[in-house]
Amino acid sequence: NAGVTQTPKFRILKIGQSMTLQCAQDMNHNYMYWYRQDPGMGLKLIYYSVGAGITDKGEVPNGYNVSRSTTEDFPLRLELAAPSQTSVYFCASSWAGIGELFFGEGSRLTVL
Amino acid sequence: DAKTTQPNSMESNEEEPVHLPCNHSTISGTDYIHWYRQLPSQGPEYVIHGLTSNVNNRMASLAIAEDRKSSTLILHRATLRDAAVYYCIPYTGNQFYFGTGTSLTVIP
């Protein structure tokens, strides 16, 4: 069972570069989430989606964009990377939003 | 959004029970209470969730106060593998807000 798959696991970006973090789930979950976790801190919600074509902002959306064209995929786009976006990014999914959240293994991003 | 208050850290001796408290006084009547934990260098993992009644599963028990303003996660016999940050999360408005959690240290 693949569950939630995130790619890449590690990435180093230069300031001003752009990239997309990929997230895919094979559990037919309608709800998907993107979080970031800075060292020694809790998780902060960036964006979430309650179904294909529907996305909404979380606590810290600035500097990011998302799309949800299919149930399976929920990519996170970073435009004009900044050092403040150095973090570990987690994607998660759940059924109907009230059940168990399943997390990916995380993507560690460093912006230099 | 429902706000939570958890102790920053707690300690427990191995093989003893652990009671992790959480205050969520602004929770609404339909918000489920979720608990997750995060082991060092790993992503969060689900522990348990409930609405009004106490809940048990293979990992833990969840005791929810009658007024739902607080809950307690109970680990019946702490092991070294239970050393983690534990997050109490009222699920509200399609969003899970993790907060800062309680860092549990298990002493051998």
Side-chain angles (χ1 to χ4, degrees):
Chain A
N1 293 334
V4 179
T5 303
Q6 291 184 234
T7 56
K9 288 185 169 47
F10 302 93
R11 181 74 185 267
I12 298 175
L13 281 182
K14 294 182 180 178
I15 295 172
Q17 288 185 320
S18 301
M19 75 159 297
T20 299
L21 297 175
Q22 301 291 345
C23 176
Q25 52 90 11
D26 62 358
M27 297 172 282
N28 202 32
H29 286 166
N30 48 354
Y31 284 56
M32 295 187 74
Y33 304 82
W34 272 108
Y35 292 90
R36 60 175 287 174
Q37 186 173 34
D38 299 335
M41 306 296 286
L43 281 75
K44 295 289 188 183
L45 181 63
I46 305 172
Y47 271 96
Y48 67 99
S49 169
V50 301
I54 306 170
T55 63
D56 208 345
K57 297 177 180 178
E59 302 169 273
V60 290
N62 291 342
Y64 306 94
N65 280 299
V66 293
S67 59
R68 184 96 182 271
S69 57
T70 67
T71 299
E72 295 78 16
D73 300 300
F74 190 40
L76 178 71
R77 177 81 176 164
L78 282 73
E79 304 283 0
L80 299 175
S84 61
Q85 293 178 304
T86 294
S87 192
V88 179
Y89 292 82
F90 290 101
C91 179
S93 71
S94 73
W95 174 246
I98 61 172
E100 176 183 350
L101 265 180
F102 291 82
F103 279 85
E105 293 184 343
S107 297
R108 185 177 297 274
L109 175 67
T110 301
V111 182
L112 300 174
Chain B
D1 301 333
K3 303 299 182 187
T4 60
T5 303
Q6 297 180 255
N8 287 333
S9 61
M10 292 183 64
E11 287 187 351
S12 174
N13 293 319
E14 194 176 9
E15 298 190 4
E16 290 188 354
V18 183
H19 290 234
L20 298 164
C22 180
N23 287 322
H24 33 76
S25 58
T26 59
I27 196 171
S28 76
T30 57
D31 289 346
Y32 279 79
I33 300 158
H34 287 244
W35 283 81
Y36 287 78
R37 71 180 187 182
Q38 188 173 22
L39 279 64
S41 301
Q42 295 190 24
E45 65 175 351
Y46 169 82
V47 177
I48 199 166
H49 77 286
L51 184 60
T52 54
S53 303
N54 294 344
V55 184
N56 301 293
N57 65 21
R58 64 174 179 82
M59 289 181 68
S61 295
L62 175 60
I64 302 171
E66 196 168 333
D67 62 7
R68 291 187 15 96
K69 294 185 184 301
S70 65
S71 61
T72 301
L73 179 71
I74 303 165
L75 308 179
H76 296 287
R77 287 178 71 245
T79 69
L80 296 178
R81 192 193 176 279
D82 292 323
V85 178
Y86 287 79
Y87 297 97
C88 163
I89 307 166
Y91 174 71
T92 181
N94 299 325
Q95 301 174 42
F96 290 88
Y97 289 111
F98 271 70
T100 55
T102 297
S103 179
L104 176 65
T105 300
V106 180
I107 302 167

